[in-house]
């Protein structure tokens, strides 16, 4: 509960006993508190960075301008929630009051308060997941007093555009969410897409984002992509019907705990043979998110086209060169060939978990 703050302006004179011997008038501001505010919650950092699989602390401390009559800390309630993209809903993460503690959903077993001091409400999250990205609110309540602070959790990773074997503009919002999950990724947020655009991502097909909007990044304005006279930017189609509208999707992935590699095999493979070859090597056929993560975050470079789990054929080039990708570093997309074609190798992924 926020209390009222009164400002009282009191004129006063300052006598300057210099040769000029004149008087200057000023207004002095006196702060008078009525019933508070006594409780202040602050985050030392408003943004922290991590990666999938890592651990992170979301800083939060509270300060009181009084000494509690009750020496025990059980009356102080600390609640952490995650803010949704529209800020109208909050997802419960962790609540603690005295000896009572509870974590929620996917956070169970992965979150706790650091409590390095009696006023420390910092949240520790272990084994960071892609879904953990976003803004978190720390709320501290004691009696009728409460205050909050917000901290953003950013993940190092990569945004990539995706469409399925059916072709472009075939995903409603829920299909788009699942498509990203199937490729070891999550649907990207606007902030993630914006940062990818700033880093040079240019894609002329509109795709879903996590807030339900449909947008696409253009660094090189041209006629089919909003007009050649338009300035570079993230083009926005607005919010579409999540059930009926059909678009591509922008996915986000981060570091993985495993090994991504091109399988050396004596012959080219059909799709089914590629799946079996990875299994025989103690791995699984790699996903699209894994090839993008290996390319962007590990600098993986291979000029051999290989099958991936969704039936597409791609290859990652970090060092542009003739016959591979002469003009740019990129994950090159061959397409979705007939799965019976015995024309390609395969990329595999072996998890360390």
């Amino acid at each position: 509960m926020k209390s009222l703050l009164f400002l009282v302006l009191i004129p006063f004179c300052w006598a300057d006993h210099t040769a000029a011997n004149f008087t200057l008038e000023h207004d002095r501001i006196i702060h008078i508190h009525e019933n508070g505010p006594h409780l202040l919650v602050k985050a030392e950092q408003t943004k922290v960075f991590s990666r999938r699989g890592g651990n992170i602390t979301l800083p939060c401390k509270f300060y009181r301008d009084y000494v509690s009559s009750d020496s025990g800390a059980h009356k102080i309630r600390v609640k952490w929630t995650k803010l949704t993209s529209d800020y109208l809903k909050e997802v419960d993460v962790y609540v603690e009051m005295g000896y009572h503690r509870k974590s929620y959903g996917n956070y169970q077993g992965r979150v706790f308060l650091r409590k390095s001091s009696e006023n420390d409400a910092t949240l520790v999250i272990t084994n960071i997941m892609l879904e953990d990205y976003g803004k978190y609110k720390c709320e501290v309540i004691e009696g009728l007093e409460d205050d909050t602070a917000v901290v953003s959790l950013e993940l190092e990773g990569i945004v990539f555009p995706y469409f399925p074997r059916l072709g472009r503009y075939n995903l409603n919002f829920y299909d788009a969410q699942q498509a990203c999950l199937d490729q070891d990724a999550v649907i990207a947020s606007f902030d993630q897409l914006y940062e990818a655009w700033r880093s040079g991502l240019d894609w002329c097909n509109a795709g879903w984002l996590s807030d339900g909007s449909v947008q696409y990044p253009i660094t090189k304005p041209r006629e089919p992509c909003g007009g050649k006279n338009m300035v570079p930017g993230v083009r926005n189609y607005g919010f579409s019907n999540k059930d009926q509208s059909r678009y591509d999707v922008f996915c986000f992935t981060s570091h993985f705990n495993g090994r991504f590699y091109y399988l050396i095999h004596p012959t080219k493979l059909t799709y089914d043979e590629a799946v079996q070859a990875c299994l025989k090597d103690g791995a699984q056929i790699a996903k699209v998110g894994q090839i993008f993560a290996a390319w962007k975050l590990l600098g993986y470079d291979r000029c051999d086209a290989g099958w991936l789990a969704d039936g597409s054929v791609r290859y990652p080039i970090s060092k542009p060169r003739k016959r591979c990708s002469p003009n740019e570093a990129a994950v090159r997309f061959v397409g979705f060939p007939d799965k019976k074609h015995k024309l390609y190798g395969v990329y595999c992924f072996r998890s360390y978990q």
Side-chain angles (χ1 to χ4, degrees):
M1 180 183 69
K2 306 295 184 185
S3 54
L4 298 177
L5 174 66
F6 296 92
L7 299 182
V8 180
L9 300 182
I10 302 177
F12 73 102
C13 297
W14 168 42
D16 187 349
H17 300 289
T18 61
N21 193 24
F22 59 87
T23 300
L24 298 177
E25 290 192 88
H26 297 273
D27 285 337
R28 180 174 57 187
I29 299 177
I30 298 178
H31 298 266
I32 301 177
H33 296 278
E34 181 178 80
N35 298 326
H38 299 302
L39 181 67
L40 177 65
V41 174
K42 296 182 68 175
E44 297 169 349
Q45 297 171 261
T46 58
K47 186 179 293 187
V48 295
F49 295 86
S50 187
R51 60 172 64 182
R52 179 166 55 172
N55 301 330
I56 196 68
T57 57
L58 302 182
C60 180
K61 288 188 177 181
F62 59 93
Y63 303 90
R64 298 173 292 180
D65 63 0
Y66 62 94
V67 177
S68 175
S69 60
D70 187 280
S71 59
H74 64 275
K75 286 190 175 181
I76 297 176
R77 182 172 185 258
V78 177
K79 181 178 182 181
W80 279 90
T81 55
K82 185 180 181 184
L83 304 178
T84 59
S85 56
D86 58 9
Y87 291 91
L88 297 178
K89 297 180 181 178
E90 297 181 12
V91 177
D92 289 338
V93 175
Y94 184 83
V95 175
E96 178 172 321
M97 187 168 67
Y99 297 108
H100 301 284
R101 303 164 188 171
K102 185 175 183 180
S103 53
Y104 297 83
N106 289 334
Y107 296 98
Q108 292 185 52
R110 297 194 299 122
V111 292
F112 58 91
L113 295 188
R114 184 178 62 183
K115 295 194 290 189
S116 61
S117 62
E118 65 177 13
N119 69 325
D120 188 9
T122 294
L123 185 72
V124 179
I125 307 178
T126 63
N127 190 23
I128 294 292
M129 300 179 178
L130 294 176
E131 305 94 297
D132 293 341
Y133 168 89
K135 290 182 170 62
Y136 291 78
K137 185 176 78 173
C138 171
E139 181 178 22
V140 179
I141 305 169
E142 184 175 25
L144 298 178
E145 297 287 342
D146 73 274
D147 197 18
T148 63
V150 175
V151 185
S152 295
L153 171 56
E154 305 281 342
L155 294 182
E156 181 184 7
I158 179 173
V159 171
F160 61 93
Y162 185 78
F163 61 89
R165 191 178 192 88
L166 292 172
R168 290 183 166 138
Y169 290 3
N170 269 288
L171 301 171
N172 69 18
F173 177 78
Y174 305 104
D175 294 334
Q177 283 184 313
Q178 188 59 50
C180 290
L181 290 174
D182 290 343
Q183 301 311 315
D184 193 40
V186 293
I187 189 168
S189 69
F190 169 77
D191 290 341
Q192 289 169 332
L193 181 65
Y194 180 76
E195 287 301 317
W197 167 75
R198 290 185 60 191
S199 298
L201 179 62
D202 183 284
W203 192 255
C204 198
N205 292 87
W208 291 104
L209 296 177
S210 60
D211 61 359
S213 66
V214 177
Q215 310 195 36
Y216 63 100
I218 295 297
T219 59
K220 303 171 184 176
R222 50 202 183 275
E223 205 55 51
C225 308
K228 63 181 179 181
N229 295 323
M230 296 286 287
V231 297
V234 178
R235 309 278 192 259
N236 189 349
Y237 278 17
F239 296 91
S240 295
N241 186 298
K242 291 184 177 181
D243 290 299
Q244 298 178 6
S245 299
R246 297 289 190 275
Y247 296 98
D248 294 349
V249 63
F250 290 97
C251 303
F252 173 83
T253 193
S254 183
H255 293 263
F256 48 67
N257 185 19
R259 179 190 172 216
F260 172 89
Y261 62 100
Y262 181 82
L263 180 65
I264 303 301
H265 196 273
T267 63
K268 298 299 183 182
L269 304 163
T270 66
Y271 176 79
D272 289 339
E273 290 172 342
V275 171
Q276 292 304 313
C278 288
L279 289 173
K280 187 176 180 180
D281 201 50
Q284 293 182 323
I285 187 170
K287 299 178 179 181
V288 175
Q290 291 161 348
I291 195 173
F292 271 98
W295 166 73
K296 180 68 174 181
L297 304 175
L298 302 177
Y300 195 93
D301 182 284
R302 185 92 193 191
C303 199
D304 295 286
W307 292 103
L308 295 174
D310 67 337
S312 67
V313 173
R314 309 175 194 245
Y315 59 99
I317 298 298
S318 295
K319 302 173 184 177
R321 55 197 182 276
K322 189 177 180 181
R323 298 182 181 178
C324 295
S325 180
N327 299 319
E328 61 178 351
V331 174
R332 309 303 299 180
F333 176 62
V334 176
F336 288 92
D338 187 322
K339 289 185 176 182
K340 294 181 181 179
H341 285 176
K342 201 179 181 78
L343 298 174
Y344 308 103
V346 62
Y347 287 97
C348 302
F349 180 78
R350 183 181 297 127
S351 175
Y352 291 154
Q353 294 180 338

